[in-house]
Amino acid sequence: MAISDYKVVSQTYWHKGEIIDYGVNMCGAPLEWPETMGEGIRVGIIDTGIDYNHVDLKNRIKAMINFTSKDRKDVYDQNGHGTHVAGIIAAEKNGVGVVGVAPKADLYIARAFDKNGNGEFEAIKNSLEWMIEQNVHIINMSFSSNKGSDKYHNIISKCYKAGITMVCAAGNDGESAGDTIGFPARYPECIAVVAVDINKKSAPFSSRGPKAEIAAAGKDIYSCFSRNSYARLSGTSMATPIISGCAALLQAKGIRRFKRRLTPDEISLLLNVYTEDISEYGHDSTYGYGVFSFGRINTPETVLAKTSVINSRYARSPRVASFISAMLRKPFLV
């Protein structure tokens, strides 16, 4: 297995001031910061490790572990991919560098991929089991493969039953071969994220297929990189942590307003309610339910219109149906 292919567009070791990348602005995260920046939400990242000395990340990391070798403390990111993902999710708002979607979320880092971005199933399995032990709310998985297995699905199901929202890269195989969404994004318990550019047009590299669920910016995304640097990268790997960060903000709002942890289905529903339809109304294989933005929702009528389209997916869960009713009675979305 390997992390989803990505392209390093540019890299720098310093820039003036603090930057909020267009991807963070596109998802509308700054609109939510007056209420929450993700405080108390535990976000797991399974990737190539992290630059734990990075000025924008060192205070957000709560636990780290390595499953690529016997040295469990060997978590430093020699690739850059994991550090970039972490920065998109939770880079601190500290006056320097960049700002993540949920800049006060807590990060739990599991290194399952080596410096070349390669990993074994056993390392991913161990990472997921560790995430359950850490009681994380969300797991970001910016990796993809074209093969699944019963063992793979079983551990994914175990995380889902533990109440963990799993946000996964759809993959970077484009549309040339029809349905190109990989695993674990393909599993029904996971949220499959596809990528768009600054104009909300589907990125040519982004995988497509019926399991596509939600879209976010994934082209030329500026975030943290190894050796205390910053870089612009492109890939569904970059769109995925934007959605993970948004899920963290929604979970924080749910706990704050409803005094309980929201279920994976409830988080998924809320994410989809906030989407902007880009092509055909409802769901399609290129954008899923659409491009996510907190700025999309401002009236109960909008909520009702969106839930009528997507609620059939959650019919199996009475808790989600009751949550919709509670959400409409209490202005969760404004």
Side-chain angles (χ1 to χ4, degrees), residues 248-301:
L249 295 179
L250 286 171
Q251 187 63 262
K253 290 177 70 173
I255 292 172
R256 179 185 176 93
R257 296 189 180 196
F258 293 96
K259 311 303 180 187
R260 67 170 178 85
R261 178 172 177 158
L262 303 184
T263 69
D265 279 353
E266 288 169 344
I267 292 291
S268 181
L269 172 66
L270 286 171
L271 287 169
N272 292 330
V273 166
Y274 276 104
T275 58
E276 174 187 0
D277 284 308
I278 299 298
S279 56
E280 59 188 88
Y281 186 64
H283 181 276
D284 64 74
S285 294
T286 301
Y287 298 96
Y289 289 107
V291 177
F292 180 91
S293 176
F294 282 107
R296 289 291 302 164
I297 304 299
N298 53 24
T299 66
E301 290 74 18

Coordinates of all heavy atoms in Angstrom, one line a residue, residues 248-301:
A248 N -14.0 18.0 12.6 CA -13.6 18.3 13.9 C -14.4 19.5 14.5 O -14.8 19.6 15.6 CB -12.1 18.6 14.0
L249 N -14.6 20.5 13.6 CA -15.4 21.7 14.0 C -16.8 21.3 14.3 O -17.4 21.8 15.3 CB -15.3 22.8 12.9 CG -13.9 23.4 12.7 CD1 -14.0 24.4 11.6 CD2 -13.4 24.1 14.0
L250 N -17.4 20.4 13.4 CA -18.7 20.0 13.7 C -18.9 19.2 14.9 O -19.8 19.3 15.7 CB -19.2 19.1 12.5 CG -19.5 19.9 11.2 CD1 -19.7 18.9 10.0 CD2 -20.7 20.8 11.3
Q251 N -17.9 18.3 15.2 CA -17.9 17.5 16.4 C -17.8 18.4 17.6 O -18.5 18.2 18.6 CB -16.8 16.5 16.4 CG -16.8 15.5 17.6 CD -18.0 14.6 17.6 OE1 -19.0 14.9 18.3 NE2 -18.0 13.6 16.8
A252 N -17.0 19.4 17.6 CA -16.8 20.4 18.7 C -18.1 21.1 18.9 O -18.6 21.3 20.1 CB -15.7 21.4 18.4
K253 N -18.8 21.5 17.8 CA -20.1 22.2 18.0 C -21.2 21.3 18.5 O -22.0 21.7 19.4 CB -20.6 22.8 16.6 CG -19.7 23.9 16.1 CD -20.2 24.4 14.7 CE -21.5 25.0 14.8 NZ -21.9 25.6 13.4
G254 N -21.1 20.0 18.1 CA -22.1 19.1 18.6 C -22.0 18.8 20.1 O -23.0 18.8 20.8
I255 N -20.7 18.7 20.5 CA -20.5 18.5 22.0 C -20.9 19.7 22.8 O -21.4 19.6 23.8 CB -19.0 18.1 22.2 CG1 -18.7 16.7 21.6 CG2 -18.7 18.1 23.7 CD1 -17.3 16.2 21.6
R256 N -20.5 20.8 22.2 CA -20.8 22.1 22.9 C -22.3 22.3 23.0 O -22.8 22.8 24.0 CB -20.2 23.3 22.1 CG -20.4 24.6 22.7 CD -19.8 25.7 21.8 NE -20.1 27.0 22.2 CZ -19.3 27.8 23.0 NH1 -18.2 27.2 23.4 NH2 -19.6 29.0 23.3
R257 N -23.1 22.1 21.9 CA -24.5 22.4 21.9 C -25.4 21.3 22.4 O -26.5 21.5 22.9 CB -24.9 22.8 20.5 CG -24.2 24.1 20.0 CD -24.8 24.5 18.7 NE -24.1 25.8 18.2 CZ -24.6 26.5 17.3 NH1 -25.7 26.2 16.7 NH2 -24.0 27.6 16.9
F258 N -25.0 20.0 22.1 CA -25.9 18.9 22.4 C -25.4 18.0 23.5 O -26.0 17.1 23.9 CB -26.1 18.0 21.2 CG -26.9 18.8 20.1 CD1 -26.3 19.4 19.0 CD2 -28.3 18.8 20.1 CE1 -27.0 20.1 18.1 CE2 -29.0 19.5 19.2 CZ -28.4 20.1 18.1
K259 N -24.2 18.4 24.0 CA -23.6 17.8 25.2 C -23.4 16.3 25.0 O -23.4 15.5 25.9 CB -24.5 17.9 26.5 CG -25.0 19.4 26.7 CD -23.8 20.3 26.9 CE -24.3 21.7 27.1 NZ -23.2 22.7 27.1
R260 N -23.1 15.9 23.8 CA -22.7 14.5 23.5 C -21.9 14.4 22.2 O -21.9 15.3 21.4 CB -24.0 13.6 23.4 CG -24.8 13.9 22.1 CD -25.9 12.9 21.9 NE -26.8 13.2 20.8 CZ -26.5 12.8 19.5 NH1 -25.3 12.2 19.2 NH2 -27.3 13.1 18.6
R261 N -21.2 13.3 22.1 CA -20.4 13.0 20.9 C -21.4 12.7 19.7 O -22.2 11.8 19.9 CB -19.5 11.9 21.2 CG -18.6 11.5 20.0 CD -17.5 10.5 20.6 NE -16.7 9.9 19.5 CZ -15.5 9.4 19.8 NH1 -15.0 9.4 21.0 NH2 -14.8 8.9 18.8
L262 N -21.2 13.3 18.6 CA -22.0 13.0 17.4 C -21.5 11.7 16.8 O -20.3 11.4 16.8 CB -21.9 14.1 16.4 CG -22.3 15.5 16.9 CD1 -22.3 16.5 15.7 CD2 -23.7 15.5 17.5
T263 N -22.3 10.9 16.2 CA -22.0 9.6 15.6 C -21.4 9.9 14.2 O -21.5 11.0 13.7 CB -23.2 8.7 15.4 OG1 -24.1 9.3 14.4 CG2 -24.0 8.6 16.8
P264 N -20.7 8.9 13.7 CA -20.1 9.0 12.3 C -21.2 9.4 11.3 O -21.0 10.2 10.4 CB -19.5 7.7 12.1 CG -19.1 7.2 13.4 CD -20.2 7.6 14.3
D265 N -22.4 8.7 11.4 CA -23.4 9.0 10.5 C -23.9 10.5 10.6 O -24.3 11.1 9.6 CB -24.6 8.1 10.7 CG -24.4 6.7 10.0 OD1 -23.4 6.6 9.2 OD2 -25.2 5.8 10.2
E266 N -24.0 11.0 11.8 CA -24.4 12.3 12.0 C -23.4 13.3 11.5 O -23.8 14.3 10.8 CB -24.7 12.6 13.5 CG -25.9 11.9 14.1 CD -26.0 11.9 15.6 OE1 -25.0 12.2 16.3 OE2 -27.1 11.6 16.1
I267 N -22.1 13.1 11.7 CA -21.1 13.9 11.1 C -21.2 13.9 9.6 O -21.1 14.9 8.9 CB -19.7 13.5 11.6 CG1 -19.5 13.8 13.1 CG2 -18.6 14.2 10.8 CD1 -19.5 15.2 13.5
S268 N -21.3 12.7 9.0 CA -21.4 12.6 7.6 C -22.6 13.3 7.0 O -22.5 14.0 6.0 CB -21.5 11.1 7.2 OG -21.6 10.9 5.8
L269 N -23.7 13.2 7.7 CA -24.9 13.9 7.3 C -24.7 15.4 7.3 O -25.0 16.1 6.3 CB -26.1 13.5 8.2 CG -27.4 14.4 8.0 CD1 -28.0 14.1 6.6 CD2 -28.4 14.1 9.1
L270 N -24.2 15.9 8.4 CA -23.9 17.4 8.5 C -23.0 17.8 7.4 O -23.2 18.9 6.8 CB -23.4 17.7 9.9 CG -24.4 17.6 11.0 CD1 -23.7 17.8 12.3 CD2 -25.5 18.7 10.8
L271 N -21.9 17.1 7.2 CA -21.0 17.5 6.1 C -21.7 17.6 4.8 O -21.5 18.5 4.0 CB -19.9 16.4 6.0 CG -18.8 16.5 7.1 CD1 -17.9 15.2 7.0 CD2 -17.9 17.7 7.0
N272 N -22.6 16.6 4.5 CA -23.3 16.6 3.2 C -24.3 17.7 3.1 O -24.6 18.2 2.0 CB -23.9 15.2 2.9 CG -22.8 14.2 2.7 OD1 -21.7 14.4 2.2 ND2 -23.1 12.9 3.1
V273 N -24.9 18.0 4.2 CA -25.9 19.1 4.2 C -25.3 20.4 3.8 O -25.9 21.2 3.2 CB -26.6 19.2 5.6 CG1 -27.4 20.5 5.7 CG2 -27.6 18.0 5.8
Y274 N -24.0 20.6 4.2 CA -23.3 21.8 4.0 C -22.8 22.0 2.5 O -22.2 23.0 2.2 CB -22.1 22.0 4.9 CG -22.4 22.5 6.3 CD1 -22.5 21.7 7.4 CD2 -22.6 23.9 6.5 CE1 -22.7 22.2 8.7 CE2 -22.8 24.4 7.7 CZ -22.9 23.6 8.8 OH -23.1 24.1 10.1
T275 N -22.9 20.9 1.7 CA -22.3 21.0 0.4 C -23.1 21.8 -0.6 O -24.3 22.0 -0.5 CB -22.2 19.6 -0.2 OG1 -23.5 19.0 -0.3 CG2 -21.2 18.7 0.6
E276 N -22.3 22.3 -1.6 CA -22.9 23.1 -2.7 C -22.9 22.2 -3.9 O -21.8 21.7 -4.4 CB -22.0 24.3 -3.0 CG -22.4 25.1 -4.2 CD -21.4 26.2 -4.5 OE1 -20.4 26.4 -3.8 OE2 -21.7 26.9 -5.6
D277 N -24.1 22.0 -4.5 CA -24.2 21.2 -5.7 C -23.4 21.9 -6.8 O -23.7 23.1 -7.1 CB -25.6 20.9 -6.1 CG -26.3 19.9 -5.2 OD1 -25.7 18.8 -5.1 OD2 -27.4 20.2 -4.6
I278 N -22.6 21.1 -7.5 CA -21.8 21.7 -8.6 C -22.3 21.3 -10.0 O -22.4 22.1 -10.9 CB -20.3 21.3 -8.5 CG1 -19.7 21.9 -7.2 CG2 -19.5 21.9 -9.7 CD1 -19.8 23.4 -7.0
S279 N -22.7 20.1 -10.1 CA -23.2 19.6 -11.4 C -24.7 19.2 -11.2 O -25.5 20.1 -10.9 CB -22.4 18.4 -11.9 OG -22.4 17.4 -11.0
E280 N -25.1 18.0 -11.4 CA -26.5 17.6 -11.3 C -26.9 17.6 -9.8 O -26.1 17.5 -8.9 CB -26.7 16.2 -11.9 CG -25.8 15.1 -11.2 CD -25.9 13.8 -11.9 OE1 -25.1 13.5 -12.8 OE2 -26.8 13.0 -11.5
Y281 N -28.2 17.9 -9.6 CA -28.7 18.1 -8.3 C -28.6 16.7 -7.5 O -29.0 15.7 -8.1 CB -30.2 18.6 -8.3 CG -30.7 18.9 -7.0 CD1 -30.2 19.9 -6.2 CD2 -31.8 18.1 -6.4 CE1 -30.7 20.2 -4.9 CE2 -32.3 18.4 -5.2 CZ -31.7 19.5 -4.4 OH -32.2 19.7 -3.2
G282 N -28.2 16.8 -6.3 CA -28.1 15.6 -5.5 C -26.7 15.0 -5.6 O -25.7 15.7 -5.4
H283 N -26.5 13.7 -5.9 CA -25.3 13.1 -5.8 C -24.8 12.7 -7.2 O -25.6 12.4 -8.1 CB -25.4 11.8 -5.0 CG -24.1 11.0 -4.9 ND1 -23.7 10.1 -5.9 CD2 -23.1 11.0 -4.0 CE1 -22.5 9.6 -5.5 NE2 -22.2 10.1 -4.4
D284 N -23.5 12.9 -7.5 CA -22.9 12.4 -8.7 C -21.5 11.8 -8.5 O -20.9 12.0 -7.4 CB -22.8 13.5 -9.8 CG -21.9 14.7 -9.4 OD1 -20.7 14.5 -9.4 OD2 -22.4 15.7 -9.0
S285 N -20.9 11.1 -9.4 CA -19.7 10.4 -9.2 C -18.5 11.3 -9.3 O -17.4 10.9 -8.9 CB -19.5 9.3 -10.3 OG -20.5 8.3 -10.2
T286 N -18.6 12.6 -9.7 CA -17.4 13.5 -9.7 C -17.3 14.3 -8.5 O -16.2 14.5 -8.0 CB -17.6 14.4 -11.0 OG1 -17.7 13.6 -12.1 CG2 -16.4 15.3 -11.1
Y287 N -18.4 14.9 -8.0 CA -18.3 15.8 -6.8 C -19.0 15.2 -5.5 O -19.0 15.8 -4.5 CB -19.0 17.1 -7.1 CG -18.4 17.9 -8.2 CD1 -18.9 17.8 -9.5 CD2 -17.3 18.7 -8.0 CE1 -18.3 18.5 -10.6 CE2 -16.7 19.4 -9.0 CZ -17.2 19.3 -10.3 OH -16.6 20.0 -11.3
G288 N -19.6 13.9 -5.7 CA -20.3 13.4 -4.5 C -21.6 14.3 -4.3 O -22.3 14.6 -5.3
Y289 N -21.8 14.7 -3.1 CA -22.9 15.6 -2.8 C -22.6 17.1 -3.1 O -23.4 17.9 -3.1 CB -23.4 15.5 -1.4 CG -24.1 14.1 -1.2 CD1 -23.5 13.1 -0.5 CD2 -25.4 13.9 -1.7 CE1 -24.2 11.9 -0.2 CE2 -26.0 12.7 -1.5 CZ -25.4 11.7 -0.8 OH -26.1 10.5 -0.6
G290 N -21.3 17.4 -3.4 CA -20.9 18.7 -3.7 C -19.7 19.2 -2.9 O -19.0 18.4 -2.2
V291 N -19.3 20.4 -3.1 CA -18.2 21.1 -2.5 C -18.6 21.6 -1.1 O -19.6 22.3 -1.0 CB -17.6 22.2 -3.3 CG1 -16.4 22.9 -2.6 CG2 -17.1 21.7 -4.7
F292 N -17.8 21.2 -0.1 CA -18.2 21.6 1.3 C -17.9 23.1 1.6 O -16.8 23.6 1.2 CB -17.5 20.7 2.3 CG -17.8 21.1 3.7 CD1 -18.8 20.5 4.4 CD2 -17.1 22.1 4.4 CE1 -19.2 20.8 5.7 CE2 -17.4 22.4 5.7 CZ -18.5 21.8 6.3
S293 N -18.8 23.7 2.3 CA -18.5 25.1 2.8 C -19.5 25.4 4.0 O -20.7 25.2 3.8 CB -18.6 26.1 1.8 OG -18.5 27.4 2.3
F294 N -19.0 25.8 5.1 CA -19.8 26.3 6.2 C -20.7 27.4 5.8 O -21.7 27.7 6.4 CB -19.0 26.6 7.4 CG -18.5 25.5 8.2 CD1 -17.1 25.1 8.1 CD2 -19.3 24.7 9.0 CE1 -16.6 24.1 8.9 CE2 -18.8 23.6 9.7 CZ -17.5 23.3 9.7
G295 N -20.3 28.2 4.8 CA -21.0 29.4 4.4 C -22.3 29.1 3.6 O -23.0 30.0 3.2
R296 N -22.5 27.8 3.3 CA -23.7 27.4 2.5 C -25.0 27.5 3.2 O -26.1 27.7 2.6 CB -23.5 26.0 1.9 CG -22.4 25.9 0.9 CD -22.8 26.6 -0.4 NE -24.0 26.1 -1.0 CZ -24.8 26.7 -1.9 NH1 -24.4 27.9 -2.3 NH2 -25.8 26.1 -2.4
I297 N -25.0 27.3 4.5 CA -26.3 27.1 5.2 C -26.6 28.3 6.0 O -25.9 28.7 6.9 CB -26.2 25.9 6.1 CG1 -25.8 24.6 5.3 CG2 -27.5 25.6 6.9 CD1 -26.8 24.2 4.3
N298 N -27.8 28.9 5.8 CA -28.3 30.0 6.6 C -29.8 30.0 6.9 O -30.3 30.8 7.6 CB -27.9 31.3 6.0 CG -28.3 31.5 4.6 OD1 -29.3 30.8 4.2 ND2 -27.6 32.3 3.8
T299 N -30.5 29.0 6.4 CA -31.9 29.0 6.6 C -32.4 27.5 6.8 O -31.8 26.6 6.3 CB -32.8 29.5 5.4 OG1 -32.6 28.7 4.3 CG2 -32.3 31.0 5.1
P300 N -33.4 27.3 7.7 CA -33.9 25.9 7.9 C -34.4 25.3 6.5 O -34.3 24.1 6.4 CB -35.1 26.1 8.8 CG -34.7 27.4 9.6 CD -34.0 28.3 8.6
E301 N -34.9 26.2 5.6 CA -35.4 25.7 4.3 C -34.3 25.0 3.6 O -34.5 24.0 2.9 CB -36.0 26.8 3.5 CG -37.3 27.3 4.0 CD -37.2 28.2 5.3 OE1 -36.0 28.7 5.5 OE2 -38.1 28.4 6.0

